[in-house]
Amino acid sequence: MSNDERNKESAESSRHGRLFRWLDRRADIDKLMKESLNEPVPGGARLAYVFGSGLLFIFISQIITGICLALYYVPSAETAHTSVAYITKQVAAGAFLRSLHSYGSSAMIIVLVLHFLQTFLYGSYKGRRELLWLSGATLSLFVLGMGFTGYLLPWDQKAYFATAVGTNIVGEIPMIGNWLTRLLRGGDTIGTLTLSRFYVAHVFLIPAMIFLFIAAHIFLFRKAGAAGPMNEDPVEPKMPAEYFYPKQVIMDMAFSLLLMAGLGFLAYFHPEGLGPIANPADTHFLPRPEWYYLPMFEWLKFWEGPKVVFAVIVVPGLLAAGFFLMPFLDRGLERRPWRRPIPVLAVAIVMVGIVYLGMRSEMDDRDDPTTAAQLALQAQQEKAYSAAPFEPYIESPGGTGPAVLPSGPVNPLVAQGRGIFQEHGCSGCHGDVGLGGVVGPNLTGITTKFPEAQLVDLLHHPNAQMRAGNMPSVDISADQMKALLAYLAVIGTPMANVQASFGNTATAPSAGARAQAAGVAESAPTAPGAPAAPAASAAAAAGAQVFLEHGCIGCHGPNGSGGRAPALAPLIASLSDSQLQALVLHPNAKMTKGGMPPFFGSPDQLSELVAYLRTLKAPAQNSAQLASQSASLAPMQSSVQYPDMGTATGTSTGATTGKAAPAAQEAQAMVVASGQEVAMPGRQYFQDLGCVACHGPSGQGTKFAPSLIGVSAKFPGDKLPYLLHHMTPKMRAAGMPQITLPEAQFNQLVDYVRSLKPVTATMQMTAAQAGGGAANARLSSAVGGSAGGASVTGAAVGGRTSVAQKPVWQPSQLSPLALDGRRVFQQNRCETCHGVDGLNGTVAAPPLAGTASLLPADSLESLLRHHTTRMQRGGMPLTNMNATDMKALVTFIRAMPATSGGQ
């Protein structure tokens, strides 16, 4: 080296030295470095000591990657999933960063367990290190809390349902469980408030506590000093010490680099997936928590009923107490594990049990074919969504939610495909637009999951799993299949929201359906003296609404043409109306096994339903199919003697004179479900408390809550008031609020619920035989008051009057605020489920007139912002709108008539 080079290097070193001395004089850096690195380690550096530094490194990595992800994340139920999809699919290295963050959380748990085992086996908690152990134990709980709160943030199916299971477990804690669940969720259900709370806890609260306890842990560690090897004295070390720097620092850095390389390899070659957006209505999804929570998940399977408290509180509480109190329970100075058999054996049993439960959970899933198939399907859906192109979130012009209308010209092939989708009853299982329902899964990305030829073959020849779900073969022409595939390809995108085109569908609408669309339904052949055809069409039209409201279309398909359940026309052709009514009220064993519930409704609704069923036409089938389907009713026909209730199209068996009127009045007084208004104070409380929104205006039940008709027979005496005061976990999970009425008012509410009596065959016969005079009087009264807001069409069918009420509601009569709420209602596509202007409802959701319209404004707004579990399962999307729009929407709903068209 020349003199010039030596002089240049000396000058450079002098400049660096001057800079360091300048900083050292002002910040005392040299002293700080010596204090940090000159920590004496008895017995010298060991590889066993690297786990604590590895934990610190992973935590810093999680903080850095978390900050990068937070730059794009939006903690809202409407946009969280889209923002994560944007990070994964659009942001440069976004998938790598997200995967690094996700794998880092698992790595942190693994290293934490290794650090605990090393500390325990070395006895490093002995010798005045109790506070050091307690601070580390508290840190381990915060690490688990970070994993739990971060799991929900992607807002996909897996995240949503796993969090639902976790928060439900918290609800099992006696006395405070319900309060803790509401605190975590921000209400009765998982929604935007839950996501916001988990986000704040994951990003701010828990990391702040971790930083605080890390500082305390390091301080206490430096105060107590390193414990050294397991044969060292924990109080007064005897072995020669070696400074932490440089040997232990090099080992810790090598371990951290190894962790970084492993996480980077996994993140690059096996990126973390993202499933479809959370759909609370998907009742088939099987939730599974992250792997480190699987042992607890499996553990709870062994306990039911009151014993769950033992599984959730007692056993975990004892284990947590033993974990925290370890230094106080094992107080001897002996550190070698073979000299501490009891503590070591106890920890070994717990660790083996945890590993066994985790493996048992995996084996149970593999051994059950149904569960394994569903989990495989979920994995395929996650893979398909991850591979699908990014779909941005588009806010509507009014700012009240995502725009759902397609941008650009409508593809006629897609419109025709949607028509085929609906005409063949696919919407009954897979939801109105294919986003999943109570029976069928979400079809988003189905065309990317299967090649076209394989998908067509599956539709023509469903596999075993599809047949187990009652999926029929789709027998349509090649052109129609092409249109159906075009629609399946756009499900989950704005392009799917097109008006269905039924012009070229595989099966033309039945004659009854065409007549009903024209306002005149066909009627079955009538006996001599039967009413004219227009009368029968009024009953059939009302029956079509009953068919929709009771969800019959979901299984039997549009116009009863068949879907998950067979077509109705060939099944009922050989039955009289009285037999058909009895069968609907009391399904036989085969029908019950297929999921057919008993009919709960008024005698009028039952007769109207039968009148509608008589208008249905059988689809083209061969004789063998007809014989097979008709055989399903044979056991019922042969074993049950049906009372003669008359037919919907026959003449009355009772006189329509004043002598018959008292019998009719008695029957109607017994049957509250018939639509009769009950003048009881409890009915007002039933409405004011919002019970009508879930249980229906007359307690007949809706998709969101069961029928209350006849509940007094199931809970006689004091059992009903006790149940209302002490709700079951199932009632609480469904969103049932606590009833806090004074005793007198509470008793009146109970009396009203007890008054809801079920419909019986004898009562129907009595009402049918003696109901003519009373029905005519009721019709005359209704017609006389129709100018006040209801258009009433009456027809004497079977000696009684069928009344189909449709609210007359002119938008011009609404206030300006209600009109603005109507715009919000339409803009958010509420009509898709609740029907035009929310008056009559659809198969997807009940009418709002006569139910939600009866709620107080504050209760209705609370229900719209915090959905019950039933509303979520029914597919009710999260309501994300400003206060002005919400006020307008509430005003619009409350302006609806007090009676829906479906009542």
Side-chain angles (χ1 to χ4, degrees), residues 35 106 171 209 217 486 785 823 832:
E35 287 288 334
S106 296
M209 297 303 297
H217 194 68
R823 173 192 61 80
T832 303

Side-chain angles (χ1 to χ4, degrees), residues 335-349:
R335 297 174 56 191
R336 288 169 290 186
W338 54 87
R339 297 290 183 91
R340 298 182 289 129
I342 295 178
V344 172
L345 181 62
V347 171
I349 291 173

Side-chain angles (χ1 to χ4, degrees), residues 219-287:
F219 170 79
L220 293 171
F221 175 76
R222 297 300 298 270
K223 177 69 176 176
M230 61 181 66
N231 57 352
E232 176 64 285
D233 190 320
V235 179
E236 297 179 357
K238 305 294 192 302
M239 302 180 70
E242 180 180 308
Y243 284 134
F244 181 75
Y245 177 83
K247 192 173 180 180
Q248 190 63 52
V249 171
I250 294 174
M251 290 184 180
D252 290 353
M253 289 181 64
F255 181 66
S256 299
L257 288 174
L258 184 64
L259 286 174
M260 181 185 297
L263 293 175
F265 179 87
L266 289 173
Y268 185 80
F269 291 101
H270 300 279
E272 182 73 8
L274 178 66
I277 190 171
N279 176 22
D282 187 357
T283 58
H284 288 268
F285 191 89
L286 294 179

Side-chain angles (χ1 to χ4, degrees), residues 815-839:
S815 66
L817 186 60
L819 282 173
D820 191 47
R822 185 169 183 251
R823 173 192 61 80
V824 175
F825 186 83
Q826 294 173 346
Q827 195 173 56
N828 283 271
R829 304 282 289 175
C830 305
E831 292 180 327
T832 303
C833 294
H834 294 286
V836 177
D837 282 336
L839 294 180

Side-chain angles (χ1 to χ4, degrees), residues 7 122 147 155 161 165 167 187 191 214 219 233 241 316 359 370 446 449 468 482 519 584 589 608 697 740:
N7 292 335
Y122 273 59
W155 198 248
F161 285 102
V165 172
T167 53
I214 284 177
F219 170 79
D233 190 320
M359 295 177 62
T370 304
I446 190 71
K449 188 187 309 179
K482 183 178 180 182
V584 171
E608 288 161 356
T740 56

Side-chain angles (χ1 to χ4, degrees), residues 25 59 64 68 239 254 277 292 309 403 426 431 454 511 573 694 741 776 815 820 859:
R25 284 194 295 268
F59 178 67
I64 295 172
C68 295
M239 302 180 70
I277 190 171
Y292 41 83
V309 176
C426 309
Q454 184 181 355
C694 293
L741 288 174
N776 287 331
S815 66
D820 191 47
S859 299

Side-chain angles (χ1 to χ4, degrees), residues 2 14 152 160 295 349 451 510 627 657 676 729:
S2 64
S14 178
L152 177 65
Y160 178 91
I349 291 173
S510 65
T657 63
Q676 176 186 357

Side-chain angles (χ1 to χ4, degrees), residues 673-698:
S674 64
Q676 176 186 357
E677 293 295 327
V678 180
M680 299 180 65
R683 179 179 175 83
Q684 188 61 44
Y685 302 135
F686 189 78
Q687 294 179 356
D688 292 344
L689 290 172
C691 309
V692 295
C694 293
H695 293 285
S698 298

